[in-house]
Amino acid sequence: MKNKIKKTYIYISLAALTMSGSCTQDFLDKNPTDKIPESTFWKTQADADLALSGCYEFLCRGYNATSSSAARGGWGGASMFWDGLSDDAFVSSTSNNFNVISRSGISSTTGGMQAEGYEISYQAIAACNKLIANIDQVTSMNEQDRAKYKAEARLIRAHYYFLLTNLYGDVPLTLAPLGMDDASARLGRTPKNEVMAAILTDLDYASENLPNTPYRGHAVRGTALGYKAKVLLTMKKWTEAAATAKKVIDENQFAIYQGGYRDLFRKPGQNNNPEIMFSARFLPPNMYSPADMMYSYLKTVQPLNYLVDSYYCVDGKDINSSAKYDVENPYENRDPRLKSTIMYRGVWRGTTSSSAFDPVAEGVLGGFLPRKYINEAKWPTSYATQSDQDWVFLRYADVLLMYAEAKNESSGPDQTAVDALNKVRSRADVNMPLLQFGTTLTKDGFRDIIRHERRVELALEGQRYFDLKRWGIIKEVMDKIKDPDGASRLFMARDTLWPVPQSEVDIAKSLGNDNFKQTPGF
């Protein structure tokens, strides 16, 4: 029985010890040895550095601009693909089957992200569990450093368990390395509420043992608190979420970046950026982002007109009610974040005066491409383009908007919540009209304002799909959407939670594991 246990089911890979490189500062810049016998490992702090580097490497999955298959959508610098499951964008290619999933074609054998979301997350968790379980063997480390390394691994583990629960709901919970034993082979799917509790425990440990400093590539206390606020918001624990986000605000380690909204998403503006709280970091040539290749050359993620039309005019009114809107010049007098996020006809695209974007000539059916995360200096791009843009998973603007949302849902609008939203709007190069707090501002009205602000501030950052799901409005929104190729979106209620890979169910069944079952509806 033990010898028949499949690695794809229990994920006991030594991923922490067999990675190809990493992308952050200090030891995360190193290229670890390809294979290291575990019997000689866990002796020195250098071993611990290498193992932690392996945990961080998973954040960069989906890198490598050598082919569209190597740069898998949904991971690392290709995380914009998540917006293709929302009303903000569509995926024009078959990469990782996002286009199939977006049209309710998902099944237990779809593959691509349907399977990878499960498999790669558990590989990352296995790497984290390996470090947490073995780092005590490194006697040369002091206790403070040991706790810090564990805290970083536990935060990354929480990051992947949070993704798993968002996609699949109930999932196996394992907080220690699995073995070749019957108990490991008979794991069932742990109830989601128990997994969420474990996530919060990891984030609490991380917030207590990470330095309270700005983010420079390694997770810090603010990273853990920001993630905790997001988890609590998803759980609808409004009061706790607001209090946690307020800690980040009050501890004053982060700020809205005033160097230009676009430069939040490209180098060198990302270097030591006070707004970035957690990211996948890239450093060519060893680890490079696929951003320009995927979004500029292959045009795989294309913004929808629904997103473009959602940007207000500079007077703070929507395009249907603002006197500032000119149908002949539809992109003028609009929220400046529109031009920083969307490439539309005529936008300068590259190095020559004639390199303006022409959607007809380039076969872009909807008329738009991303500008966020794009570096024009890389144009004309190709499969060989090596981008260095870090992918930002968490930033301070998100925390401010989470605070406003949690505060409003717990007790209605107040001045602190309005102030948090206004900090985002008052970014120097955005400077949209500030919201005024008063008796006419209702809870429902403020909710709509916050949701709109999240949409335009975080557009094409892989957030919208998960926001629509947690707000419980994804079906009513997506069933109205039509893609530029003429296909209509359809969101079936069962798709709120994805099926786990059928191969996992089959393996469990072959081992006599009746505890592991497929997601209801599949």
Side-chain angles (χ1 to χ4, degrees):
M1 172 76 72
K2 295 177 183 178
N3 292 332
K4 289 170 64 180
I5 297 172
K6 302 288 185 69
K7 183 171 70 175
T8 53
Y9 172 56
I10 61 175
Y11 295 105
I12 58 171
S13 65
L14 300 181
L17 312 183
T18 59
M19 53 286 185
S20 60
S22 194
C23 45
T24 51
Q25 295 176 345
D26 305 325
F27 69 81
L28 296 182
D29 288 334
K30 300 177 182 178
N31 295 315
T33 304
D34 185 55
K35 293 181 180 179
I36 303 173
E38 193 173 5
S39 60
T40 63
F41 206 71
W42 305 112
K43 304 299 182 184
T44 67
Q45 183 159 342
D47 294 339
D49 290 346
L50 201 58
L52 185 59
S53 177
C55 297
Y56 274 97
E57 187 268 344
F58 280 96
L59 299 173
C60 299
R61 287 298 174 98
Y63 83 102
N64 191 343
T66 57
S67 73
S68 57
S69 59
R72 298 181 302 274
W75 302 101
S79 293
M80 193 184 294
F81 276 69
W82 291 108
D83 288 288
L85 302 184
S86 78
D87 55 339
D88 280 358
F90 89 111
V91 177
S92 62
S93 76
T94 59
S95 181
N96 255 24
N97 286 332
F98 273 88
N99 59 342
V100 174
I101 297 169
S102 73
R103 295 166 183 176
S104 202
I106 193 169
S107 72
S108 61
T109 58
T110 295
M113 182 50 72
Q114 175 269 329
E116 281 189 4
Y118 189 88
E119 295 165 355
I120 291 179
S121 294
Y122 274 110
Q123 291 168 8
I125 289 165
C128 296
N129 285 344
K130 202 76 177 175
L131 181 147
I132 294 163
N134 289 283
I135 198 170
D136 286 346
Q137 298 179 44
V138 183
T139 57
S140 60
M141 297 181 70
N142 62 52
E143 289 304 313
Q144 184 176 3
D145 285 343
R146 198 189 325 273
K148 177 179 176 292
Y149 280 43
K150 288 181 181 179
E152 290 183 65
R154 290 181 71 165
L155 184 140
I156 295 170
R157 181 170 71 181
H159 170 87
Y160 284 99
Y161 267 126
F162 187 46
L163 175 61
L164 283 165
T165 57
N166 271 313
L167 295 181
Y168 306 100
D170 300 346
V171 293
L173 176 65
T174 172
L175 303 177
L178 296 175
M180 301 296 289
D181 56 276
D182 288 349
S184 295
R186 297 183 185 281
L187 286 174
R189 295 176 70 171
T190 307
K192 180 179 178 179
N193 65 317
E194 294 181 27
V195 182
M196 297 294 271
I199 292 170
L200 290 173
T201 299
D202 273 352
L203 293 175
D204 283 340
Y205 180 91
S207 67
E208 293 164 4
N209 290 280
L210 291 173
N212 194 12
T213 60
Y215 173 73
R216 295 292 183 264
H218 289 263
V220 293
R221 172 175 164 83
T223 312
L225 291 174
Y227 265 98
K228 182 179 179 181
K230 191 176 288 286
V231 173
L232 291 168
L233 204 66
T234 302
M235 299 173 72
K236 295 181 169 47
K237 295 189 174 183
W238 312 120
T239 302
E240 295 175 56
T244 303
K246 190 65 161 57
K247 284 183 182 179
V248 178
I249 297 169
D250 291 345
E251 292 179 6
N252 202 32
Q253 293 295 334
F254 302 92
I256 292 295
Y257 178 57
Q258 300 298 341
Y261 181 77
R262 276 204 74 202
D263 286 336
L264 268 167
F265 311 104
R266 58 182 183 172
K267 302 286 180 64
Q270 293 180 322
N271 298 332
N272 298 328
N273 191 294
E275 187 169 338
I276 296 174
M277 301 176 69
F278 198 53
S279 61
R281 308 190 81 196
F282 295 96
L283 185 66
N286 296 323
M287 183 74 78
Y288 45 94
S289 166
D292 291 292
M293 184 271 287
M294 294 291 276
Y295 310 137
S296 181
Y297 176 63
L298 293 179
K299 312 175 188 70
T300 49
V301 179
Q302 300 181 11
L304 292 170
N305 63 293
Y306 307 99
L307 170 62
V308 176
D309 290 347
S310 72
Y311 286 87
Y312 290 164
C313 293
V314 292
D315 57 4
K317 298 178 180 179
D318 65 53
I319 61 174
N320 296 312
S321 59
S322 174
K324 296 283 187 180
Y325 182 68
D326 179 0
V327 69
E328 298 297 325
N329 297 285
Y331 312 114
E332 300 304 316
N333 296 318
R334 301 284 292 279
D335 184 329
R337 288 171 291 193
L338 171 59
K339 290 187 176 182
S340 294
T341 303
I342 306 295
M343 185 172 292
Y344 50 86
R345 182 189 297 274
V347 171
W348 180 76
R349 186 155 163 70
T351 55
T352 68
S353 58
S354 62
S355 58
F357 173 51
D358 182 346
V360 175
E362 297 198 37
V364 178
L365 297 177
F368 306 104
L369 285 178
R371 199 174 187 207
K372 184 178 280 188
Y373 279 109
I374 295 300
N375 181 359
E376 287 94 339
K378 296 289 185 181
W379 196 88
T381 50
S382 70
Y383 278 121
T385 301
Q386 297 187 5
S387 299
D388 64 356
Q389 299 94 314
D390 298 337
W391 184 270
V392 182
F393 292 116
L394 180 69
R395 57 188 178 92
Y396 186 56
D398 191 0
V399 172
L400 290 170
L401 294 176
M402 286 193 288
Y403 173 76
E405 180 178 344
K407 191 71 175 175
N408 185 57
E409 296 298 336
S410 65
S411 55
D414 70 2
Q415 188 65 58
T416 66
V418 170
D419 289 345
L421 183 139
N422 282 338
K423 283 184 182 179
V424 177
R425 286 189 173 182
S426 60
R427 188 188 304 272
D429 66 327
V430 173
N431 199 29
M432 286 293 287
L434 301 183
L435 180 66
Q436 301 299 316
F437 174 64
T439 56
T440 59
L441 184 62
T442 65
K443 184 176 184 178
D444 290 345
F446 193 33
R447 178 187 296 121
D448 291 341
I449 291 169
I450 294 166
R451 290 182 178 183
H452 172 266
E453 197 68 25
R454 284 191 66 83
R455 185 179 194 182
V456 297
E457 173 67 21
L458 305 173
L460 305 184
E461 296 179 40
Q463 300 265 12
R464 177 72 172 173
Y465 170 67
F466 297 104
D467 279 349
L468 291 175
K469 283 179 66 172
R470 70 181 178 83
W471 291 332
I473 62 173
I474 189 164
K475 180 171 176 58
E476 67 180 82
V477 170
M478 296 311 301
D479 284 356
K480 300 173 184 176
I481 303 303
K482 180 173 287 189
D483 286 332
D485 61 3
S488 295
R489 296 288 183 91
L490 173 66
F491 190 91
M492 296 176 65
R494 68 170 192 171
D495 294 350
T496 302
L497 296 178
W498 289 7
V500 299
Q502 186 60 39
S503 59
E504 303 301 315
V505 178
D506 295 341
I507 291 168
K509 189 177 296 185
S510 72
L511 297 171
N513 181 359
D514 296 327
N515 298 318
F516 190 87
K517 302 183 184 302
Q518 186 53 271
T519 305
F522 297 93

